[in-house]
Amino acid sequence: METKANVFSNSDITVTYNPCACIHADHCANELSSVFQSSVIPWINLEAASTKKIIKQIKKCPSGALQFHVNKEVA
């Protein structure tokens, strides 16, 4: 069964999550739980931390299931 990636945006970035690629290492939820919350929907809250912190955490995703692109330049 194919699952489409989830897309989350704010004015700074757009984050995509591909559940089929996720290895559930839980780095995102353990290290930035204010943004990545597995117990609520939507599970990614881009308003809960600075864009720089979110990008830093996404870059730690071991499977690449979390990706981002910048909507505008981050100061």
Side-chain angles (χ1 to χ4, degrees):
M1 177 171 101
E2 183 177 330
T3 304
K4 302 234 181 225
N6 295 290
V7 179
F8 305 86
S9 291
N10 64 18
S11 60
D12 296 329
I13 60 173
T14 296
V15 175
T16 59
Y17 168 67
N18 181 346
C20 293
C22 184
I23 61 171
H24 302 288
D26 291 331
H27 292 297
C28 58
N30 290 335
E31 296 176 19
L32 196 57
S33 62
S34 61
V35 174
F36 303 98
Q37 304 173 16
S38 59
S39 63
V40 297
I41 296 175
W43 78 278
I44 296 178
N45 178 5
L46 297 179
E47 304 305 320
S50 72
T51 298
K52 287 185 179 185
K53 284 184 179 180
I54 295 168
I55 290 171
K56 183 177 177 182
Q57 189 61 50
I58 290 170
K59 288 181 177 180
K60 294 180 182 180
C61 181
S63 66
L66 288 168
Q67 297 286 317
F68 74 94
H69 74 263
V70 177
N71 298 336
K72 68 176 187 175
E73 197 59 38
V74 179

